[in-house]
Amino acid sequence: MSRETSSSVTGVLLDDDTLGLHDFAHTCAVEPHWVIERVESGLIELPAQGDGVDRVQWRFASTHVVRARRMAFVERTMDANPELAALVADLEEEIARLRRRLGD
Amino acid sequence: MDFKDYYQTLGVERGADAAAVKKAYRRLARKYHPDVSKEPDAAARMSELNEAYAVLSDPEKRAAYDTLGPQRPTGAGQGASGGERGAQGFQPPPGWASGFEFSGGPGGMEGEGADYSDFFESLFGHAAAAQGRGGGARQAARGRDHHARIDIDLADAYAGATRAMHLRSARLDGEGRVQPTERTLEVRIPQGVKEGQLIRLAGYGAPGGEGMPAGDLYLEVHFNPDARWQVEGRDVTQTLRVAPWEAALGGDVDVTTPAGGTLQVTVPAGSRPGRKLRLKGRGIPGNPAGDMYLVLDIVWPPADTPRARELYAAMARDLAFDPRADANPTPRS
């Protein structure tokens, strides 16, 4: 294997409203309609953005990326329906929260 | 580079059907999923399982992989299939995947691409390489985003930090063979990052199709466990141990912060255990910055000397204190 050393690079923090619908879908390796279905059914919750906000104005945060990737993973590998995958994601988030409280 | 026996990884026979492959993967995924598994090497095993399943669950990839077959011993010769093992380990023969078209777009892989092995990368992991070896017509598209986890200390979130990361990719050599490449990247982590937040390194994901940009690399930040601090968002909570007289009479005490500095904090007189003091803006920096919460814990000196026992006895005698007064029922007259 060849090895190269690259120069330094500064990461950019993904703020709470950074990603639009299509970038979000690309990052999660899913199709935009997959995202739309799960937002509209409440499985991915966006902050209140007012009625009538166009989908292209939706903004997603880091936490949404992690959640959506977990859900997509469970749906894909376990053939789970979206609600069950969301429940698994809920439980994983709760486990992570409790572990943080324990300092585990 | 070693040959990877994906059938062995999943514990199935080479002739196993798709249902058997999926069943084996699910069983092992439940056992080794890093969010729930107690196995010490769970993350590494899960990565191996994902890689094996990515190949064996995809008919095209599996068919191409099967042409490589079990690895031949050194000196057994090299054919159009079977692969080659020399001083450098396993190498797939040139053109080994001709006639196969891997699904999944550029790179032909789903999910956790950043975690796959050199073996996988050399076979399936590079769009340009796949095109170069006649992998079939592909739609030009932006490269896939990759995801990886990075563990930092809480102090790094206060001050920022630099971490070395090793990224794997693949490129064609002069003979048209795919060569795994490892690149070391010095990543500067910005101040103010939160647990679970993503850091984007633009252009460090998978290469794009012809004329299309590369994907991005996303680093998911996690703090190394530290029993001294609990973190929620940018708020940080720690226990502040105080002496009984500091809690009773009040006073100034020094507090060591995650940033490594020292703060002087005033403990109000009459404080009880569990009282929470808020230090506004002393949590993780940001806009807005988080707060720091100090939860008081009163630590009593041991009564292990005559003088200490004398002081405790004096308190018992002079204070007429009943810590169970609220709990004891009042005698009825």
Side-chain angles (χ1 to χ4, degrees):
Chain A
M1 184 189 329
S2 64
R3 288 184 167 80
E4 302 172 355
T5 299
S6 180
S7 56
S8 300
V9 59
T10 299
V12 176
L13 289 182
L14 199 66
D15 290 328
D16 290 345
D17 56 356
T18 301
L19 291 176
L21 173 61
H22 289 276
D23 282 342
F24 177 71
H26 184 269
T27 297
C28 299
V30 296
E31 296 295 328
H33 70 79
W34 187 97
V35 178
I36 292 168
E37 288 173 3
R38 280 143 192 82
V39 170
E40 292 186 341
S41 58
L43 303 180
I44 296 175
E45 293 186 36
L46 295 180
Q49 300 188 15
D51 293 336
V53 172
D54 195 279
R55 288 166 183 161
V56 297
Q57 293 180 321
W58 286 353
R59 289 294 177 266
F60 297 85
S62 294
T63 50
H64 294 124
V65 175
V66 175
R67 179 178 177 82
R69 280 169 45 79
R70 278 179 174 155
M71 289 170 56
F73 173 82
V74 174
E75 289 183 31
R76 185 173 63 245
T77 59
M78 301 292 181
D79 287 340
N81 67 34
E83 289 75 16
L84 181 57
L87 175 61
V88 172
D90 288 341
L91 294 173
E92 290 189 23
E93 289 165 6
E94 182 65 7
I95 289 170
R97 192 183 67 81
L98 293 172
R99 282 182 173 163
R100 283 200 301 274
R101 288 189 62 179
L102 287 171
D104 187 10
Chain B
M1 180 173 63
D2 295 328
F3 180 84
K4 287 191 175 294
D5 188 336
Y6 291 139
Y7 292 98
Q8 188 176 54
T9 301
L10 292 183
V12 296
E13 300 292 330
R14 293 185 71 84
D17 61 18
V21 169
K22 177 177 284 190
K23 185 176 180 181
Y25 170 74
R26 288 177 176 179
R27 179 175 56 80
L28 293 169
R30 286 184 59 213
K31 182 175 181 181
Y32 290 109
H33 195 292
D35 286 336
V36 293
S37 178
K38 300 294 184 189
E39 302 289 336
D41 59 346
R45 292 296 300 272
M46 193 68 220
S47 184
E48 292 174 359
L49 294 175
N50 284 337
E51 179 176 321
Y53 188 65
V55 174
L56 299 188
S57 64
D58 182 303
E60 289 87 7
K61 285 197 190 78
R62 182 174 176 178
Y65 173 78
D66 284 347
T67 66
L68 298 173
Q71 193 169 332
R72 296 183 176 188
T74 304
Q78 176 188 348
S81 63
E84 173 187 6
R85 185 172 63 178
Q88 300 302 314
F90 176 85
Q91 288 289 335
W96 70 277
S98 295
F100 295 101
E101 182 169 355
F102 304 127
S103 60
M109 43 201 274
E110 294 286 341
E112 313 292 329
D115 293 335
Y116 290 157
S117 69
D118 296 335
F119 175 75
F120 182 97
E121 293 285 352
S122 72
L123 299 184
F124 305 109
H126 195 277
Q131 288 161 354
R133 65 179 181 249
R138 289 165 191 282
Q139 182 182 1
R142 177 182 156 198
R144 280 182 175 274
D145 293 340
H146 282 177
H147 292 256
R149 173 186 169 119
I150 187 167
D151 296 312
I152 65 173
D153 291 331
L154 179 57
D156 297 332
Y158 274 76
T162 299
R163 288 283 183 278
M165 294 203 69
H166 304 290
L167 304 179
R168 285 198 304 261
S169 60
R171 63 174 51 178
L172 291 176
D173 65 13
E175 299 175 352
R177 284 187 170 183
V178 184
Q179 292 295 336
T181 301
E182 186 175 276
R183 181 171 50 180
T184 301
L185 201 60
E186 296 286 331
V187 180
R188 284 196 291 271
I189 300 165
Q191 180 191 58
V193 67
K194 296 182 289 187
E195 169 87 20
Q197 194 167 16
L198 299 181
I199 298 173
R200 177 164 55 191
L201 304 179
Y204 285 90
E210 189 174 352
M212 298 299 288
D216 299 333
L217 171 62
Y218 287 88
L219 304 177
E220 184 181 330
V221 173
H222 291 277
F223 294 143
N224 292 318
D226 191 324
R228 292 174 293 178
W229 294 293
Q230 295 174 14
V231 184
E232 197 69 44
R234 287 198 172 96
D235 293 338
V236 177
T237 300
Q238 71 177 86
T239 299
L240 176 61
R241 304 170 78 183
V242 295
W245 45 90
E246 290 172 328
L249 306 176
D252 293 338
V253 300
D254 290 337
V255 176
T256 301
T257 70
T262 301
L263 289 175
Q264 193 171 67
V265 176
T266 299
V267 177
S271 292
R272 293 186 168 204
R275 180 170 187 172
K276 193 179 270 191
L277 308 179
R278 178 189 181 207
L279 306 179
K280 187 173 173 56
R282 295 291 187 170
I284 295 174
N287 187 21
D291 298 330
M292 172 171 279
Y293 293 92
L294 304 174
V295 181
L296 298 188
D297 178 24
I298 299 176
V299 181
W300 291 83
D304 55 0
T305 65
R307 176 60 178 157
R309 285 192 287 274
E310 183 184 325
L311 290 170
Y312 276 114
M315 282 199 292
R317 182 179 63 245
D318 296 343
L319 295 182
F321 175 61
D322 180 3
R324 293 165 297 281
D326 292 343
N328 292 338
T330 305
R332 295 189 179 188
S333 55

